[in-house]
């Protein structure tokens, strides 16, 4: 009787031990299954943290090429502007019809493109009245009004600037001597052109010139 009891007790202890071992294995398997994704190695993490030097080098090279192209374009534009300007050898010069009114005298100064290709004028001409021997009368014309824009002249087309003075008696300032010629430096030019002034005389100390505009005004 006593032997049977001992055997039963030993069987219970074996069963209990088996249950404990099975529970431990089940918990271990569950913990391992919660995160089955591979973890990056330290080498992979270091590679991801470093910048893409090849891409940066390509971007810097592209930016440098863009800047160089912009600078080259600006240089070409400046060169084209200088070569496109109307020169004294490609133009003729004359005075247009005098406009007298309200004590003012205005005379158009007309530039005509006599060359074989188009050219441009922009800005104020330099103007002086002279005697027949070339001596200057008074002082060069002052600038009147805004600078204006560029005027494109095809062969045979004209542009003008307007000379302005006042009638004798409008001001107490004495008049200058009568002139025989007008000497003109076209905008941007270092060479002058000369044409007859038609006896133009400056009075009242007023002698101005406007910027170049399209057309001849007579």
């Amino acid at each position: 009787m006593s032997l049977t009891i001992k055997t039963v007790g030993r069987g219970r202890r074996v069963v209990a031990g088996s249950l404990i071992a099975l529970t431990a294995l089940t918990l271990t398997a569950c913990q391992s299954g919660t995160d089955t994704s591979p973890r990056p190695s330290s080498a992979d993490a270091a590679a991801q943290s470093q910048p893409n030097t090849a891409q940066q080098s390509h971007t810097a090279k592209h930016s440098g090429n863009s800047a160089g192209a912009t600078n080259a374009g600006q240089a070409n534009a400046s060169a084209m502007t200088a070569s496109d300007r109307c020169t004294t050898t490609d133009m003729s010069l004359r005075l247009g019809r005098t406009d007298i009114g309200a004590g003012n005298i205005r005379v158009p100064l007309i530039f005509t493109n006599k060359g074989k290709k188009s050219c441009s004028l922009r800005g104020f001409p330099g103007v002086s009245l002279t005697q027949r021997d070339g001596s200057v009368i008074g002082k060069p014309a002052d600038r009147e009004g805004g600078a204006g824009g560029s005027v494109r002249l095809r062969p045979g087309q004209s542009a003008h600037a307007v000379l302005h003075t006042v009638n004798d008696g409008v001001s107490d300032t004495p008049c200058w001597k009568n002139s025989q010629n007008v000497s003109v430096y076209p905008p941007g030019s270092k060479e002058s052109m000369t044409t007859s002034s038609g006896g133009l005389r400056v009075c009242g100390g007023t002698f101005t010139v406007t910027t170049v505009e399209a057309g001849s005004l007579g």
Side-chain angles (χ1 to χ4, degrees), residues 65-81:
N65 290 341
S66 299
T70 301
N71 292 336
Q74 292 174 347
N76 290 337
S78 300
M80 289 177 61
T81 300

Side-chain angles (χ1 to χ4, degrees), residues 17-50:
S18 298
L19 289 174
I20 293 172
L22 179 61
T23 302
L25 289 174
T26 303
L27 291 175
T28 302
C30 291
Q31 291 176 354
S32 299
T34 55
D35 184 9
T36 59
S37 60
R39 299 182 181 274
S41 64
S42 58
D44 294 337
Q48 292 176 358
S49 64
Q50 292 179 354

Side-chain angles (χ1 to χ4, degrees), residues 67-157:
T70 301
N71 292 336
Q74 292 174 347
N76 290 337
S78 300
M80 289 177 61
T81 300
S83 63
D84 188 55
R85 185 185 304 122
C86 297
T87 64
T88 56
T89 57
D90 293 328
M91 291 189 295
S92 63
L93 177 69
R94 66 182 178 89
L95 293 185
R97 185 177 59 203
T98 301
D99 179 17
I100 302 175
N104 293 287
I105 300 174
R106 291 183 171 85
V107 185
L109 186 64
I110 302 170
F111 302 91
T112 301
N113 181 7
K114 64 177 185 179
K116 296 181 179 180
K117 64 179 183 179
S118 298
C119 61
S120 299
L121 288 173
R122 181 176 183 177
F124 296 90
V127 182
S128 295
L129 297 178
T130 64
Q131 295 181 325
R132 188 169 286 105
D133 61 3
S135 58
V136 177
I137 301 172
K139 64 177 184 177
D142 294 322
R143 294 178 175 184
E144 177 182 339
S150 178
V151 178
R152 185 75 171 171
L153 299 179
R154 294 195 297 270
Q157 288 186 325

Side-chain angles (χ1 to χ4, degrees), residues 122-125 143-149 151 160-162 187 209-214:
R122 181 176 183 177
F124 296 90
R143 294 178 175 184
E144 177 182 339
V151 178
H160 71 278
V162 177
V209 61
T210 65
T211 189
V212 173
E213 299 180 51

